[in-house]
Amino acid sequence: MPSELAVIIDDSATSRKILERLTASLGGIATQSFADADGALSFCRDRCPGLVVLGRPAGGTRAADFVRSLRAVTAAAEIPVLVISSAEDPSAIECAREAGASDHLLAPVDHHEFRLRARHLLLRGQMPREAGANEAPDQQHNYGGEADRSNFDFLYNMSHELRTPLNAIIGFSQVIAGEMLGPVGTPKYAGYARDILDSAERLLGIVNDILDVSRLEAGTLELVEETIDFARTVADLLKLLEPRAEAASVQFALEHDGVIPSLRADERKLRQMLLNLLTNAIKFSHAGGVVQVVLRNVGGAIVIVIEDRGIGMDRHEVELAMTRFGQVATPWSRKHDGTGLGLPLAIGLAELHGANLSIDSTKDSGTTVTVAFPRERSEPLPDIRAAAAIGLA
């Protein structure tokens, strides 16, 4: 069963259907739709969904009023809210953001942008309910000691305190950078707003990484599995990272070795793992270098190899890089941002899928990271020869 629930609110049956399909395409998401705000608010009080997509409620209810009412409910105060609004009414978006909306999109909705924003909000709003103080003792997870539980609770509470102001910083910097309320008098100010947005999103990413690593160590991070076109997912990620690679004067080379089957995995966690590995490969490549990405079918099992010809590491540096907050202290690494969480998080997410992540690196020659998924996670490929034998191919 899906582990996430999204509530959709819009007075147009057609818009609701479109938003339902888009939300369901994220994978592992159940949807509940409402035309009116009151019914949705009552539902949210009882069920506390992982995401609210707020279009145009029936009866003329303002988005800001709904968000304000939702935030007033203790159990629903932290639910991420994505507001869909017309570009012709920027004040409605401004009011909704001031009331506590998490993000916004302009109608008509760009499907790709919707998926990106919705996934981000679902990840941002994930609540480790199994760590809650209201659970019965026999329902709580084993955190490995009194000390570990206290550490996890501290990190969770701190992440909540950081997310609240970050949401406001991100939201209002988007409004300014996009000049949604009118042109900014001095063009440099719009550039500054984009810089603020980039910095806030980077900080939010760090907060999420810290919490995810802690949840991995506590054993509370779970998979929401679905069938994924692995080859397409990798190609999409390479396309997403192209601007970053171009800025570093690095190119990608993608190769398929055999027919790549579909994979049973948690798409969001899989993408996070691969993004961390690919970003590291770009980060530590030399200008003019190539990051080679090879997808292999090894006896039906999926293997991905990410190879760069960058600065590389010796054995001690590899061990350090694999530890939480571990960073190899070199003049090169100090030129780049990073917390030292990317590789440990990738390793943990691979292990969560039952995969093996190995690193082969040579100082001044480059690094090769190999992730081998277990055979049982691959979806069986159709037997073409058998199909041909009965005249179907």
Side-chain angles (χ1 to χ4, degrees):
M1 293 180 63
S3 70
E4 294 282 4
L5 174 65
V7 167
I8 296 166
I9 309 164
D10 201 291
D11 65 355
S12 166
T14 301
S15 296
R16 288 199 304 274
K17 287 295 182 185
I18 292 173
L19 292 173
E20 285 172 6
R21 292 193 185 101
L22 282 173
T23 306
S25 72
L26 300 175
I29 307 294
T31 61
Q32 181 69 46
S33 298
F34 297 88
D36 65 290
D38 289 341
L41 186 61
S42 177
F43 182 87
C44 290
R45 286 193 186 103
D46 297 334
R47 298 291 299 276
C48 198
L51 174 68
V52 171
V53 180
L54 178 59
R56 185 180 61 184
T61 302
R62 296 172 68 245
D65 292 337
F66 174 85
V67 174
R68 201 170 289 112
S69 298
L70 185 69
R71 296 294 181 238
V73 179
T74 302
E78 299 301 321
I79 298 173
V81 180
L82 175 60
V83 174
I84 311 293
S85 184
S86 170
E88 298 174 357
D89 189 11
S91 63
I93 297 176
E94 181 186 19
C95 292
R97 297 305 297 248
E98 289 179 342
S102 309
D103 201 350
H104 66 268
L105 281 173
L106 299 180
V109 173
D110 179 277
H111 291 192
H112 178 69
E113 187 70 14
F114 176 89
R115 293 187 182 98
L116 287 176
R117 298 291 184 90
R119 282 194 181 104
H120 178 69
L121 289 178
L122 283 164
L123 181 63
R124 182 195 303 180
Q126 281 180 338
M127 304 261 303
R129 295 186 179 92
E130 58 269 38
N134 293 328
E135 288 180 337
D138 60 346
Q139 294 176 318
Q140 295 180 4
H141 288 251
N142 179 9
Y143 291 85
E146 290 305 293
D148 288 345
R149 171 62 183 271
S150 176
N151 179 56
F152 180 83
D153 287 348
F154 169 76
L155 288 172
Y156 172 69
N157 291 331
M158 283 302 299
S159 70
H160 163 71
E161 294 300 325
L162 289 169
R163 282 185 179 121
T164 301
L166 279 173
N167 286 340
I169 294 169
I170 290 171
F172 287 117
S173 59
Q174 285 175 334
V175 171
I176 298 170
E179 299 182 303
M180 296 180 62
L181 300 179
V184 176
T186 302
K188 282 188 176 180
Y189 289 166
Y192 295 156
R194 284 189 289 271
D195 291 341
I196 293 169
L197 176 60
D198 290 342
S199 298
E201 289 183 335
R202 187 178 302 122
L203 180 55
L204 183 61
I206 293 171
V207 171
N208 287 333
D209 283 351
I210 292 172
L211 187 59
D212 281 344
V213 168
S214 299
R215 294 177 70 185
L216 277 168
E217 292 179 347
T220 65
L221 198 62
E222 298 179 352
L223 296 179
V224 179
E225 297 186 10
E226 58 185 303
T227 301
I228 298 166
D229 185 334
F230 187 80
R232 176 176 292 181
T233 296
V234 172
D236 288 346
L237 290 176
L238 295 183
K239 186 175 181 179
L240 179 68
L241 288 172
E242 271 183 6
R244 182 176 298 187
E246 290 175 358
S249 300
V250 173
Q251 293 183 338
F252 286 123
L254 177 62
E255 177 185 340
H256 289 192
D257 183 3
V259 180
I260 308 303
S262 296
L263 182 72
R264 191 72 185 168
D266 184 314
E267 183 175 13
R268 281 186 286 151
K269 295 180 179 64
L270 177 70
R271 289 171 64 91
Q272 186 176 11
M273 176 190 75
L274 295 176
L275 277 172
N276 287 355
L277 297 176
L278 290 167
T279 300
N280 276 350
I282 297 170
K283 181 177 176 180
F284 296 112
S285 288
H286 297 294
V290 175
V291 173
Q292 184 81 26
V293 181
V294 182
L295 307 184
R296 294 195 175 113
N297 182 331
V298 181
I302 293 177
V303 176
I304 180 170
V305 180
I306 301 172
E307 180 180 5
D308 68 71
R309 293 299 176 190
I311 63 172
M313 297 176 285
D314 60 29
R315 182 176 178 180
H316 171 72
E317 289 171 339
V318 170
E319 293 176 355
L320 179 62
M322 293 173 68
T323 62
R324 188 169 69 162
F325 300 109
Q327 288 184 307
V328 179
T330 67
W332 182 277
S333 65
R334 285 195 292 269
K335 296 177 184 177
H336 300 84
D337 294 330
T339 59
L341 290 173
L343 187 55
L345 183 55
I347 293 171
L349 293 175
E351 292 175 347
L352 199 61
H353 285 87
N356 178 59
L357 189 154
S358 60
I359 302 172
D360 182 16
S361 188
T362 302
K363 192 72 170 178
D364 300 322
S365 295
T367 301
T368 300
V369 177
T370 303
V371 182
F373 292 91
R375 170 65 184 83
E376 55 268 23
R377 284 204 167 271
S378 296
E379 293 292 319
L381 291 169
D383 191 334
I384 298 176
R385 288 173 299 180
I390 59 175
L392 296 178

